[in-house]
Amino acid sequence: MTMTPRERVLAAMKLEKLDRPPVAVFTQSATIDQMNAINTFWPEAHSDPKMMCELGAAQATVFGFEAVRSAFCLTAEAERLGCAVDPGKKDRTPMLKKHPFNFDPMSGVYDEPNNVMSPEEFIKGGRPACIIEATRLMKEKYGKEYAVIAGNTGPFTLAGHLVSTENLIFGIMMDPDKVKEWVDAVNPVIKVYSQALTDAGADIVQMSEPSASTDLLSPDMFTEYSGSYVKKSLACVDGAYSVLHICGDTKPIIDHMISTGVSGISIEEKVDSAEAVKIVNGRTALIGNVGVVFPLLQGTPADCEAAGKRVSAAGFNIVSPGCGLSALISADNLKALVKGVKG
């Protein structure tokens, strides 16, 4: 019996054996070629639920990937909690411009996290409410055919958005209790938001936690400052699968990522594909790890097709770009990646 894309993605999340893995973009999925194809563009699509629904579905409707995804950046939560945000352009996602809270380990000047918005209020307005509504629309329009993925931001990363990631890292060395106060403050917001996305229709909640990469946190710090919080805000989501994405060389923390209890982990190409499959050893769904810069942005269609075949042959449960797509990646390269997996 022929499987729908939705059935194939959900079977892969269940670790079922398949004739081939599904191919889907789990992180940022929009490109300029998609925008042009459906006449829906950034930055407007960041804050309009109907536009977000259509552009978030374009990975499937335009290129043949096997999922749809709401949200295109990691600034929506931070903006709702008080960060100043540049809305970006057609070819660039929004960027943080100013942190709303003081956190200065060098001088010992700290704002207390008492003024962080309540989780209940958080999901009622701003772009988080837009993303929740876009997820509902996706489920309604595309959910029978495609798995619906909703993206959000991890706890250590979001805390850094509010007080400066650089200061947060310095804080670990100089006043770790203050760091934990801030991660403790944002984690309930993320938990309620994760559940709200699920309740709106997400089959999978995919959390990006780039500030917990080994470039910023040593492996022995991961569980204390990120993993233990992910366990409480993402892995426990009721009614959806949970996927944790972390950038960079995640080889030293793959075991820690799995220990959070999430349904799947998404990793970049900096980890050898075959080695990643060996480390995971069927303990969770493994998603990735086709390079976003090369081959997707800088390579040829032949390079992209070969990468899809390689990651598929290595034994990944779901073949996906290793991180969020650059808006400049060509349609030909993305179609070639799909072809490399689907045949």
Side-chain angles (χ1 to χ4, degrees):
M1 184 177 70
T2 303
M3 303 180 82
T4 65
R6 170 185 167 80
E7 289 169 339
R8 185 175 291 276
V9 170
L10 297 186
M13 291 302 305
K14 296 175 189 174
L15 306 180
E16 293 179 5
K17 290 189 178 296
L18 300 168
D19 57 320
R20 67 163 177 83
V23 55
V25 187
F26 266 60
T27 49
Q28 195 300 103
S29 64
T31 63
I32 289 176
D33 282 341
Q34 292 174 52
M35 297 179 206
N36 290 334
I38 67 169
N39 196 33
T40 300
F41 302 96
W42 289 346
E44 294 82 7
H46 292 297
S47 53
D48 183 301
K50 291 182 180 178
M51 295 177 74
M52 183 178 292
C53 171
E54 296 309 313
L55 186 55
Q59 64 157 301
T61 61
V62 176
F63 296 142
F65 287 100
E66 295 176 280
V68 298
R69 185 189 191 274
S70 61
F72 309 113
C73 73
L74 300 182
T75 64
E77 298 97 328
E79 183 179 56
R80 177 66 172 153
L81 294 176
C83 286
V85 172
D86 175 339
K89 299 180 180 179
K90 178 181 176 180
D91 62 351
R92 176 174 63 77
T93 54
M95 296 177 61
L96 297 177
K97 301 299 290 183
K98 188 177 181 182
H99 310 290
F101 298 98
N102 293 310
F103 189 96
D104 187 353
M106 301 301 290
S107 65
V109 175
Y110 301 104
D111 285 342
E112 297 300 323
N114 304 328
N115 294 326
V116 172
M117 184 181 294
S118 74
E120 295 73 23
E121 182 66 19
F122 174 87
I123 60 174
K124 291 179 181 178
R127 283 197 286 143
C130 167
I131 294 164
I132 291 168
E133 176 61 11
T135 304
R136 187 192 68 78
L137 293 173
M138 279 184 174
K139 185 67 172 183
E140 185 178 278
K141 186 170 182 178
Y142 297 103
K144 289 184 179 180
E145 181 72 10
Y146 300 105
V148 177
I149 304 168
N152 67 4
T153 306
F156 189 74
T157 300
L158 181 55
H161 287 171
L162 298 186
V163 303
S164 154
T165 301
E166 181 180 5
N167 286 345
L168 210 62
I169 297 297
F170 278 126
I172 289 175
M173 296 180 283
M174 303 179 71
D175 201 339
D177 289 341
K178 289 293 183 183
V179 174
K180 292 174 185 175
E181 284 180 12
W182 273 97
V183 188
D184 277 326
V186 301
N187 211 39
V189 172
I190 298 170
K191 179 177 181 178
V192 169
Y193 185 36
S194 296
Q195 192 60 52
L197 292 168
T198 300
D199 295 343
D203 298 299
I204 301 162
V205 178
Q206 179 271 307
M207 175 186 285
S208 294
E209 178 75 311
S211 296
S213 76
T214 55
D215 293 334
L216 293 175
L217 288 183
S218 65
D220 61 352
M221 292 177 178
F222 174 80
T223 298
E224 185 174 4
Y225 293 99
S226 174
S228 61
Y229 295 94
V230 171
K231 192 169 191 173
K232 296 174 183 176
S233 58
L234 176 66
C236 62
V237 70
D238 184 16
Y241 295 99
S242 53
V243 172
L244 175 62
H245 171 80
I246 297 181
C247 305
D249 180 7
T250 49
K251 181 181 173 182
I253 59 171
I254 285 177
D255 284 335
H256 299 308
M257 293 172 70
I258 295 171
S259 294
T260 64
V262 292
S263 313
I265 63 171
S266 166
I267 65 171
E268 285 190 359
E269 73 281 358
K270 290 183 180 180
V271 184
D272 176 77
S273 303
E275 193 165 4
V277 171
K278 184 177 180 181
I279 294 169
V280 172
N281 193 28
R283 290 177 289 166
T284 195
L286 184 57
I287 299 151
N289 70 333
V290 176
V292 172
V293 177
F294 186 87
L296 288 175
L297 180 61
Q298 298 177 348
T300 65
D303 294 328
C304 297
E305 184 174 349
K309 290 178 178 178
R310 173 181 54 77
V311 176
S312 178
F316 271 60
N317 300 94
I318 299 173
V319 178
S320 179
C323 197
L325 297 183
S326 161
L328 302 177
I329 292 173
S330 73
D332 288 344
N333 278 5
L334 290 171
K335 290 176 180 176
L337 170 58
V338 172
K339 181 182 177 183
V341 180
K342 288 186 175 181

